[in-house]
């Protein structure tokens, strides 16, 4: 859609969005974006979803992106609109989510004058975006729009900000759709180096105690990568574990899957990481939540690391073979080479290895004491999963114990159905992310598994859900505590619960009703199933206040400063191994 | 252990970037945000069409950190080329300094004599002061400054290091 006659910058933005395949924008108006809003008012290609806080616009865009694989788009005003967006941008940066955020800015001649609602948006967002732009000439606007989407979605995806001074939104220029020329300097590497991939396959084929460790890179690569991964696992018969971000990329019920690894990962996954002789890391980044103490991390293994971002390789952990490329492409090449070389796994060694793994599995590290007087949080998630799984729900979470229990007890079999703030750990993420996912999948069941503290950080978004008739379900595991904080205080600070109890919690049922949503409460295990079914039956947003055991802690746990083989399996264990001072200094 | 002990070494890195607003802030922000050292940094537009600039940054770190620095620089959207001149064959490095020395009598004569020995040029003089212009390796400039300290050194301005690989090829060819 190229136009010869000049059109306004605001119209150029909208035409670009249409040409880029965008159909929805999450936003909040203000003085510096009025021309854009006026243009939105006068068209009907792009749907605008009015949120109630700019942070939520970003998380909604993330939820949209993660559940579709397409970029999410947010629109906010200058100054406070832009600064409110910063948490969402940082969240998208750390979790590599493609998001484009349009920010209004004061007119170009006012920039630098401390004008009303002026903030140095490109300065503030430089370290929390993959890239950002300040458009100072309307003639460049179309090009910047298209480049921004390319940068956000290609290579390692991430957030991009386009700062749009008000006069640029008004000024006119012809809209010329840029040709898909190669970028001057930005060229992500998609195909991996073949020689290194061959070397990796040789190493894999010789492994006696292999492990495949996957992360969000598989999800970002697209659904084909998940399929290829299944083939690789079928071909090799090797055990596989996933980070928090990678859940769903490999079916959780496949016997090869050892569960999540890391701080709250399973005993078998972490010990397999510790004891393996060859590690194949696909699209994960050796984050400290995964590695534990780096100098004791998987000490006897040769490591292969496949990542689209060269800077992820050898950043935290030294690897033997680093392959820069898209995980899906590299897995495809690995499979081809494995087949053409007629590689065979070392069946005998593998059998011994699986026997060892099954022994670790036998510890049943996720077991917990069921009770019939109180709902155990783990049980709540188990029932939620059992009763909703045939609907293929999209699950988002807030941050805390409930998030880890969701990761441990909800089964994910498909990519793009699990959305949680992994890298930044942003309380308040789940509800707006659920809204974004629900917009993308209007008919689907979308559930935010929440904590009572986190949900209050973006509770205003219930209003968004009601306005846009989005039937998102918020399932609060209400333990009255910032449970994860309290758990650390238990383990590290002698049970001194400084400020981790939330007194004066609202009545969540009446709160939901005040917003025009429905509220349900359950505290008896016998009523749990009926409440979940009731939640699903209600055609509209629902807040469930699920009262759970208040002092339950989340295990297994690899305490900070500990190694994979130093996990705590239960509360009794926890008493035995006090955390070192070094551990206390780690987050 | 999986992390080998690594020695800290000094590296000179050339970075060709788009000559646009904010690029230098991106580069510097990357160094400060990730806790890397900047021993010296220079930047100027170098292409005929003024579209690209060249940054020369001297940094130090273990081989793992230096690899990180290069990968992180390369990841910035407006960065065209990153080259580690310290690793990629021989290179030449130069720095320019302007050195103001004030004094009379013996000191003044001695300063001038030493400047001559260092091939420094006099670019300004009064009857009680000189400004010398000196180019060379940073060590040479350090040595000159040490001598001048006893002879009335007033102030000094240094450019930081610029460097090129030896031989006939350029970074972008
Ligand atoms: C914005 C933000 N502030 C603070 C924290 C630190 N933090 C991590 S978990 C947590 C407690 C969360 O409590 P709740 O939502 O009730 O979840 P629970 O752990 O009880 O399941 C806090 C305060 C955070 N992750 N994000
Ligand atoms: Mg709680």
């Amino acid at each position: 859609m190229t136009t010869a006659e000049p059109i306004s910058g605001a119209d150029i933005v909208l035409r670009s969005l249409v040409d880029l395949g965008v159909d929805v924008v999450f936003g909040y108006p203000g003085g510096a974006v009025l021309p854009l809003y006026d243009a939105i008012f006068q068209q009907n290609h792009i749907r605008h979803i009015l949120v109630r806080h700019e942070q939520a616009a970003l998380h909604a865009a993330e939820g949209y992106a993660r559940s579709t694989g397409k970029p999410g788009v947010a629109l906010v005003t200058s100054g406070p609109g832009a600064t409110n967006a910063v948490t969402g941008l940082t969240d998208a940066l750390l979790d590599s989510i493609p998001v484009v955020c349009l920010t209004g800015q004061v007119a170009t001649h006012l920039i630098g004058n401390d004008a009303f609602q002026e903030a140095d948006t490109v300065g503030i967002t430089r370290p929390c975006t993959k890239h950002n732009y300040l458009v100072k000439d309307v003639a460049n606007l179309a090009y910047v729009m298209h480049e921004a989407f390319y940068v956000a979605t290609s290579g390692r995806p991430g957030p991009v900000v386009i700062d749009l001074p008000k006069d640029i939104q008004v000024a006119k220029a012809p809209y010329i759709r840029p040709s898909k020329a190669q970028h001057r300097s930005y060229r992500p590497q998609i195909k991996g180096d073949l020689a290194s991939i061959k070397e990796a396959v040789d190493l894999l084929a010789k492994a006696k105690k292999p492990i495949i460790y996957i992360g969000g890179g598989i999800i970002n690569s697209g659904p084909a990568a998940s399929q290829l991964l299944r083939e690789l696992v079928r071909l090799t018969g090797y055990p596989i574990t996933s980070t928090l971000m990678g859940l769903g990329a490999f079916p959780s019920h496949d016997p090869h899957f050892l569960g999540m690894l890391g701080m709250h990962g399973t005993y078998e996954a972490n010990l397999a990481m510790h004891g393996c002789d060859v590690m194949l890391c696909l699209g994960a980044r050796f984050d400290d939540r995964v590695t534990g103490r780096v100098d004791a991390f998987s000490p006897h293994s040769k490591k292969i690391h496949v990542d689209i971002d060269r800077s992820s390789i050898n950043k935290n952990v030294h690897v033997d073979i680093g392959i820069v490329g898209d995980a899906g492409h590299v897995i495809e090449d690995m499979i081809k080479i494995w087949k053409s070389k007629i590689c065979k796994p070392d069946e005998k060694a593998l059998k011994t290895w699986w026997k060892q793994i099954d022994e670790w599995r036998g510890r049943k590290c996720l077991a917990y004491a069921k009770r019939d007087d109180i709902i155990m949080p783990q049980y709540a998630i188990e029932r939620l999963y059992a009763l909703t799984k045939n609907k293929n729900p999209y699950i988002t979470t807030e941050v805390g114990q409930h998030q880890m229990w969701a990761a441990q007890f909800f089964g994910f079999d498909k990519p793009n159905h699990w959305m949680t703030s992994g890298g930044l750990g942003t309380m308040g993420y789940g509800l707006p992310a659920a809204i974004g996912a629900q917009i993308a999948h209007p008919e689907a069941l979308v559930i935010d598994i929440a904590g009572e503290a986190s949900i209050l950080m973006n509770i205003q978004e219930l209003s968004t859900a009601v306005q846009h008739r989005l039937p998102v379900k918020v399932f609060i595991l209400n333990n009255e505590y910032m449970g994860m904080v309290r758990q650390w205080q238990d383990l590290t600070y002698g049970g001194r619960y400084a400020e981790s109890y939330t007194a004066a919690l609202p009545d969540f049922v009446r709160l939901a009703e005040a917003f025009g949503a429905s509220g349900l409460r359950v505290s008896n295990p016998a009523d749990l199933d009926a409440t979940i079914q009731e939640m699903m039956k209600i055609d509209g947003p629902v807040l469930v206040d699920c009262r759970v055991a208040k002092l339950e802690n989340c295990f297994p746990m690899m305490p900070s400063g500990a190694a994979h083989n130093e996990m705590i399996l239960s509360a009794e264990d926890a008493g035995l191994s006090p955390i070192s001072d070094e551990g206390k200094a780690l987050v | 252990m999986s992390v080998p002990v690594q020695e800290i070494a000094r590296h000179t890195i050339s970075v060709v970037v788009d000559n646009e607003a904010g690029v230098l802030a991106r580069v510097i922000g990357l160094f400060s945000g990730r806790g890397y050292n900047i021993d010296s940094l220079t930047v100027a537009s170098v292409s005929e069409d003024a579209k690209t600039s060249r940054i020369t940054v001297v940094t130090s770190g273990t081989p793992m950190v230096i690899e990180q620095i290069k990968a992180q620089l390369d990841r910035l959207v407006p960065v065209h080329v990153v080259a580690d001149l310290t690793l990629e064959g021989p290179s030449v490095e130069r720095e320019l300094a302007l050195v103001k020395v004030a004094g009379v009598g013996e000191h003044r004569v001695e300063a001038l004599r030493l400047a001559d020995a260092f091939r420094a040029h006099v670019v300004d003089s009064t009857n009680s002061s000189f400004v010398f212009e000196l180019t060379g390796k940073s060590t040479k400039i350090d040595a000159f400054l040490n001598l001048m300290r006893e002879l009335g050194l007033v102030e000094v301005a240094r450019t930081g290091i610029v460097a090129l690989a030896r031989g006939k090829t350029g970074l972008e060819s």
Side-chain angles (χ1 to χ4, degrees):
Chain A
M1 245 206 294
T2 294
T3 63
E5 83 283 3
I7 59 173
S8 72
D11 282 328
I12 291 176
V13 168
L14 290 174
R15 292 233 180 156
S16 305
L17 291 178
V18 171
D19 280 354
L20 287 158
V22 173
D23 45 24
V24 56
V25 169
F26 301 91
Y28 204 94
V33 282
L34 283 173
L36 267 164
Y37 273 86
D38 195 44
I40 287 175
F41 188 82
Q42 298 180 51
Q43 55 83 53
N44 47 25
H45 298 289
I46 307 255
R47 184 170 172 210
H48 180 271
I49 302 298
L50 179 67
V51 294
R52 300 300 187 264
H53 187 296
E54 289 86 353
Q55 180 190 352
L58 272 294
H59 293 325
E62 288 186 272
Y64 180 92
R66 288 178 70 166
S67 66
T68 60
K70 297 200 306 184
V73 183
L75 167 59
V76 305
T77 193
S78 66
T83 54
N84 272 350
V86 165
T87 300
L89 291 167
T90 312
D91 193 88
L93 183 74
L94 283 190
D95 283 347
S96 310
I97 309 302
V99 166
V100 174
C101 178
L102 306 167
T103 55
Q105 182 55 277
V106 301
T108 41
H109 71 276
L110 290 173
I111 290 178
N113 281 16
D114 297 329
F116 178 61
Q117 294 197 326
E118 179 183 358
D120 175 8
T121 301
V122 285
I124 290 169
T125 62
R126 201 174 283 127
C128 64
T129 52
K130 181 171 173 188
H131 194 52
N132 63 14
Y133 303 85
L134 169 62
V135 182
K136 284 185 149 170
D137 181 352
V138 69
N140 297 337
L141 180 53
Y143 182 80
V144 168
M145 287 292 299
H146 284 258
E147 180 176 301
F149 274 76
Y150 172 65
V151 170
T153 54
S154 60
R156 177 174 179 178
V160 174
V161 161
I162 308 175
D163 202 23
L164 295 164
K166 200 170 178 183
D167 55 325
I168 300 295
Q169 299 168 39
V170 177
K172 292 189 169 175
Y175 171 66
I176 297 159
R177 187 177 177 161
S179 58
K180 284 212 171 82
Q182 208 183 35
H183 193 272
R184 301 181 308 284
S185 53
Y186 171 71
R187 285 174 213 156
Q189 187 172 335
I190 306 299
K191 290 295 267 182
D193 171 56
L194 221 52
S196 309
I197 299 179
K198 281 192 180 130
E199 209 186 319
V201 169
D202 286 341
L203 190 58
L204 271 178
K206 272 191 260 153
K208 298 198 180 310
K209 296 189 277 179
I211 181 96
I212 301 174
Y213 141 50
I214 64 159
I218 305 280
I219 313 254
N220 275 338
S221 174
S226 294
Q227 288 307 325
L228 289 161
L229 181 64
R230 286 168 206 216
E231 194 180 342
L232 182 71
V233 173
R234 199 162 26 185
L235 217 55
T236 56
Y238 290 175
I240 174 169
T241 176
S242 168
T243 65
L244 183 70
M245 293 298 293
L247 294 178
F250 191 81
S252 58
H253 290 97
D254 188 297
H256 293 94
F257 190 60
L258 307 188
M260 182 171 77
L261 83 167
M263 187 170 272
H264 292 287
T266 64
Y267 188 64
E268 51 271 30
N270 283 341
L271 286 191
M273 287 290 282
H274 192 79
C276 67
D277 69 341
V278 175
M279 177 187 300
L280 171 61
C281 169
L282 297 166
R285 59 184 174 89
F286 296 91
D287 165 87
D288 56 77
R289 280 293 180 274
V290 159
T291 59
R293 205 171 80 228
V294 176
D295 62 8
F297 174 70
S298 193
H300 309 297
S301 61
K302 294 257 186 222
K303 301 176 185 73
I304 304 160
H305 186 188
V306 179
D307 203 291
I308 199 154
D309 179 359
R310 173 157 82 95
S311 76
S312 286
I313 293 172
N314 287 328
K315 179 167 68 181
N316 302 329
V317 167
H318 175 78
V319 297
D320 301 277
I321 303 176
I323 300 169
V324 181
D326 175 84
H329 282 87
V330 175
I331 299 173
E332 191 174 13
D333 285 339
M334 284 184 162
I335 291 172
K336 272 193 204 140
I337 294 168
W338 181 283
K339 284 182 176 163
S340 73
K341 287 192 162 181
I342 324 182
C343 291
K344 289 256 163 8
D346 181 340
E347 292 295 350
K348 198 165 146 250
L350 204 53
K351 212 168 151 199
T352 319
W353 181 226
W354 271 113
K355 201 168 148 254
Q356 169 69 74
I357 289 172
D358 285 338
E359 241 165 67
W360 290 329
R361 267 182 171 158
R363 291 288 296 265
K364 301 226 173 299
C365 68
L366 293 177
Y368 61 93
K370 283 207 183 76
R371 288 174 59 164
D372 50 18
D373 55 338
I374 299 179
I375 301 176
M376 295 305 283
Q378 302 92 327
Y379 179 70
I381 305 282
E382 280 184 328
R383 292 315 299 158
L384 187 66
Y385 173 56
L387 296 171
T388 61
K389 65 178 170 193
N390 62 350
K391 289 195 168 349
N392 257 321
Y394 290 87
I395 302 296
T396 70
T397 75
E398 307 291 336
V399 172
Q401 292 179 320
H402 63 275
Q403 174 190 31
M404 292 300 120
W405 282 317
Q408 292 173 338
F409 290 90
F410 210 96
F412 297 96
D413 293 336
K414 285 201 181 77
N416 302 103
H417 282 65
W418 163 247
M419 286 149 270
T420 191
S421 172
L424 195 62
T426 312
M427 292 169 71
Y429 171 88
L431 176 53
I435 286 173
Q438 188 82 73
I439 287 284
H441 309 276
E443 305 301 325
L445 175 62
V446 182
I447 308 172
D448 170 25
I449 297 177
E452 81 297 330
S454 296
I455 194 62
L456 289 179
M457 287 216 178
N458 270 321
I459 191 70
Q460 77 286 345
E461 296 309 315
L462 264 188
S463 182
T464 307
V466 170
Q467 180 192 341
H468 300 281
R469 299 177 192 283
L470 303 172
V472 293
K473 316 298 180 203
V474 180
F475 193 85
I476 304 173
L477 295 186
N478 184 349
N479 52 13
E480 295 177 18
Y481 280 96
M482 297 172 198
M484 191 55 95
V485 173
R486 190 195 49 70
Q487 174 163 350
W488 281 55
Q489 290 170 335
D490 259 345
L491 297 179
T492 319
Y493 298 94
R496 292 180 295 280
Y497 294 165
E499 302 296 324
S500 54
Y501 181 74
T502 316
L505 275 172
D507 177 333
F508 283 108
V509 172
R510 283 166 65 198
L511 184 65
E513 285 163 3
F515 275 106
S518 309
L520 301 172
R521 176 168 299 122
V522 59
S523 45
N524 187 340
D527 302 332
L528 181 60
D529 282 15
T531 307
I532 293 169
Q533 264 142 359
E534 172 74 8
M535 170 189 90
M536 289 200 290
K537 233 181 275 156
I538 297 172
D539 179 25
V542 185
L543 204 67
V544 179
D545 181 12
C546 178
R547 298 301 184 92
V548 297
K550 291 182 193 173
L551 299 177
E552 182 67 359
N553 283 341
C554 181
F555 294 110
M557 181 175 185
M558 175 170 72
S560 54
H564 280 157
N565 59 344
E566 300 166 345
M567 296 188 79
I568 301 175
L569 285 182
S570 66
E572 296 77 63
D573 259 18
L576 301 176
S577 48
I579 287 171
S580 66
D581 279 352
E582 278 160 62
K584 277 190 195 169
L586 301 169
V587 279
Chain B
M1 286 290 118
S2 59
V3 185
V5 182
Q6 296 185 321
E7 302 272 313
I8 291 179
R10 174 182 169 284
H11 285 243
T12 304
I13 297 171
S14 278
V15 193
V16 178
V17 298
D18 275 336
N19 187 11
E20 61 181 35
V23 175
L24 190 58
R26 280 181 214 287
V27 170
I28 292 173
L30 189 151
F31 276 77
S32 66
R34 294 186 183 268
Y36 306 140
N37 298 314
I38 298 182
D39 297 341
S40 149
L41 186 140
T42 68
V43 57
S45 165
V46 288
S47 62
E48 198 178 342
D49 57 8
K51 282 204 169 132
T52 54
S53 292
R54 186 172 175 127
I55 295 174
T56 308
V57 55
V58 181
T59 183
S60 45
T62 61
M64 210 155 145
V65 167
I66 297 290
E67 266 313 298
Q68 259 304 294
I69 292 174
K70 290 185 283 186
Q72 293 288 353
L73 283 169
D74 203 32
R75 210 156 83 109
L76 298 176
V77 170
V79 166
H80 291 248
V81 189
V82 178
D84 187 336
L85 298 184
T86 305
L87 283 189
E88 295 165 18
S91 61
V92 282
E93 292 190 359
R94 289 294 179 270
E95 188 178 1
L96 183 147
L98 295 176
V99 183
K100 184 179 286 181
V101 180
V104 288
E106 265 307 299
H107 278 178
R108 184 171 163 82
V109 175
E110 180 64 2
L112 200 58
R113 203 185 59 73
L114 284 168
D116 197 43
F118 275 80
R119 290 176 214 216
H121 302 290
V122 176
V123 290
D124 176 67
S125 62
T126 68
N127 52 20
S128 59
S129 72
F130 291 117
V131 174
F132 297 116
E133 173 201 317
L134 176 64
T135 36
K137 291 193 177 155
S138 300
T139 46
K140 170 176 160 184
I141 293 173
D142 291 343
F144 184 67
L145 290 176
N146 275 338
L147 292 168
M148 288 304 124
R149 258 178 207 115
E150 287 164 27
L151 302 172
L153 179 69
V154 178
E155 61 179 346
V156 58
R158 299 171 70 151
T159 56
I161 286 165
V162 291
L164 285 181
R166 290 183 187 273
K168 65 181 176 188
T169 53
L171 269 189
E172 282 187 290
S173 53

